[in-house]
């Protein structure tokens, strides 16, 4: 049985189809005091031996909902429980940056571990986050799925450059280039000044008149991508696409990208947004 969290309904449905498994329809509600409620009536009626919860956790409520779904399934008697976290919230607070801070990723991972036998993470910001869980963790990478929409463009990419905004994401750029089958790769140098301010130092790669695909694991506030798009515009790039695994698109991210002159924004369904044009289901299904 595949059990979706409320933020992962499309991915859960795609997984159920790919695995030819049952798709449960949970009940989601909220009490007058603001507390969330999530139940799985189908598991109560006919307990499956194995259940796979698929729940992105981009908010506090999403985390609570995931814990409730896990608990409901255990309470119903599910013996084997796998938890797929397509996008793991708090994963970027994975260390103490200043004395007195929590390791939020570890706190969340410990809570999630209490009611599951296994966890699957999709393209976490730092793979080392797996160490925070108390159960086995499989990590899958959905980066190469981003080549799918690029292959469907009406005007195909012409000698594209796959660029990452910093050296940390260059493997992701290479993965998308390899899946696309042609093009160069390069990376910019990024300096983050605050949560929303970044500056980008361009590389020497020739971009004038060229199609560029900027790839990253996540677009959060959009500052990184918008700054990269602006730099490429200044340097005379032709079409500039942005592609990320996790299209969080917080605050005015989408507007920043449009204002900077992006051609199209692509993401996967690890987070359900209007730009989530490709599913991570095939890579997740491979480990289920
Ligand atoms: C950072 O290293 C990540 O790979 C992303 O570049 C970053 O999280 C994007 O954040 P924002 O969209 O807020 O610039």
């Amino acid at each position: 049985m595949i059990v979706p969290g409320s933020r992962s309904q499309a991915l859960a449905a795609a997984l159920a189809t790919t695995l030819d498994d049952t798709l449960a329809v949970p009940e989601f509600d909220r009490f007058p005091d603001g507390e969330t409620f999530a139940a799985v009536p189908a598991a109560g009626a006919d307990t499956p031996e194995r259940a796979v919860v698929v729940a992105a956790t981009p908010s506090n409520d999403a985390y609570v909902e995931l814990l409730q779904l896990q608990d409901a399934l255990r309470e119903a008697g599910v013996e084997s429980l796998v938890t797929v976290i397509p996008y793991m919230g708090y994963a970027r607070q994975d260390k103490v940056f200043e004395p007195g801070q929590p390791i939020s990723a570890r706190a969340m991972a410990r809570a999630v571990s209490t009611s599951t036998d296994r966890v699957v993470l999709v393209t976490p910001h730092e793979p080392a986050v797996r160490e925070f869980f108390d159960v086995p963790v499989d990590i899958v990478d959905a980066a190469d799925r981003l080549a799918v929409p690029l292959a469907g463009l009406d005007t195909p990419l012409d000698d594209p450059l796959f660029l990452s905004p910093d050296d940390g994401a260059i493997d992701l750029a290479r993965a998308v280039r390899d899946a696309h089958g042609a093009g160069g790769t390069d990376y910019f140098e990024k300096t983050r000044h605050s949560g929303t301010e970044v500056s980008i130092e361009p590389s020497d790669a020739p971009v004038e008149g060229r199609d560029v695909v900027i790839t990253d694991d996540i677009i959060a506030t959009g500052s990184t991508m918008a700054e990269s798009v602006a730099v490429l515009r200044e340097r005379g790039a032709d079409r500039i696409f942005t592609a990320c695994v996790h299209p969080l698109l917080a605050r005015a991210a989408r507007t920043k990208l449009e204002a900077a002159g992006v051609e199209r924004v692509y993401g996967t369904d690890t987070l359900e947004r209007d730009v989530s044009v490709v599913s991570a289901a095939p890579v997740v299904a491979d480990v289920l």
Side-chain angles (χ1 to χ4, degrees):
M1 176 181 284
I2 307 291
V3 181
S6 61
R7 281 97 177 152
S8 298
Q9 298 185 42
L11 177 55
L15 274 172
T17 302
T18 307
L19 297 169
D20 194 21
D21 202 343
T22 314
L23 179 64
V25 181
E27 269 179 35
F28 299 117
D29 211 339
R30 188 178 288 278
F31 290 104
D33 61 2
E35 290 179 354
T36 63
F37 175 83
V40 192
D46 185 10
T47 307
E49 201 180 305
R50 180 178 99 134
V52 179
V53 183
V54 185
T57 52
S59 65
N60 296 352
D61 280 355
Y63 264 113
V64 174
E65 185 187 282
L66 168 56
L67 298 180
Q68 289 171 331
L69 290 173
Q70 290 175 321
D71 198 68
L73 291 163
R74 284 294 198 217
E75 189 60 28
V78 169
E79 279 184 18
S80 167
L81 183 51
V82 182
T83 300
V84 178
I85 308 179
Y87 168 77
M88 182 181 169
Y90 290 102
R92 288 176 292 169
Q93 180 74 28
D94 58 351
K95 56 172 78 82
V96 172
F97 296 95
E98 304 272 349
Q101 290 185 351
I103 301 177
S104 305
R106 185 181 60 193
M108 300 303 142
R110 284 176 175 166
V112 168
S113 298
T114 55
S115 280
T116 194
D117 299 302
R118 212 179 125 206
V119 165
V120 178
L121 299 176
V122 183
T123 319
H125 182 61
E126 288 291 346
V129 77
R130 74 189 320 155
E131 307 301 332
F132 296 148
F133 290 86
D134 300 322
V135 293
V137 176
D138 282 298
I139 289 182
V140 297
D141 187 11
D144 61 1
R145 300 291 296 152
L146 295 169
V148 174
L150 295 169
L153 291 170
D154 289 342
T155 308
L157 292 174
D158 179 22
D159 183 28
L161 178 66
F162 292 84
L163 190 76
S164 60
D166 55 35
D167 59 349
I170 185 64
D171 286 347
L172 203 137
R174 289 191 185 121
V176 184
R177 189 274 313 271
D178 291 350
H180 179 69
T185 59
D186 201 1
Y187 60 90
F188 283 169
E189 301 285 348
K190 175 170 91 171
T191 308
R192 182 171 284 284
H193 305 289
S194 71
T196 53
E197 278 175 77
V198 298
S199 57
I200 295 288
E201 196 59 42
S203 68
D204 296 333
V207 296
E208 196 172 339
R210 199 169 179 191
D211 287 335
V212 181
V213 182
I214 320 172
T215 61
D216 209 347
D217 57 335
I218 174 173
I219 302 177
T221 66
S223 303
T224 301
M225 283 296 199
E227 196 60 31
S228 303
V229 171
V231 165
L232 289 164
R233 276 269 160 266
E234 268 167 37
R235 301 190 138 219
D238 189 8
R239 293 179 299 171
I240 306 168
F241 302 86
T242 61
C244 68
V245 174
H246 307 299
L248 189 64
L249 298 173
R251 298 182 182 165
R254 192 64 199 278
T255 306
K256 276 188 204 167
L257 291 167
E258 296 295 336
V262 75
E263 175 90 11
R264 286 287 300 273
V265 182
Y266 294 119
T268 80
D269 59 0
T270 61
L271 288 165
E272 295 182 351
R273 304 286 189 265
D274 64 333
V275 304
S276 305
V277 294
V278 65
S279 182
V283 294
V284 177
D286 277 350
V287 297
L288 292 178

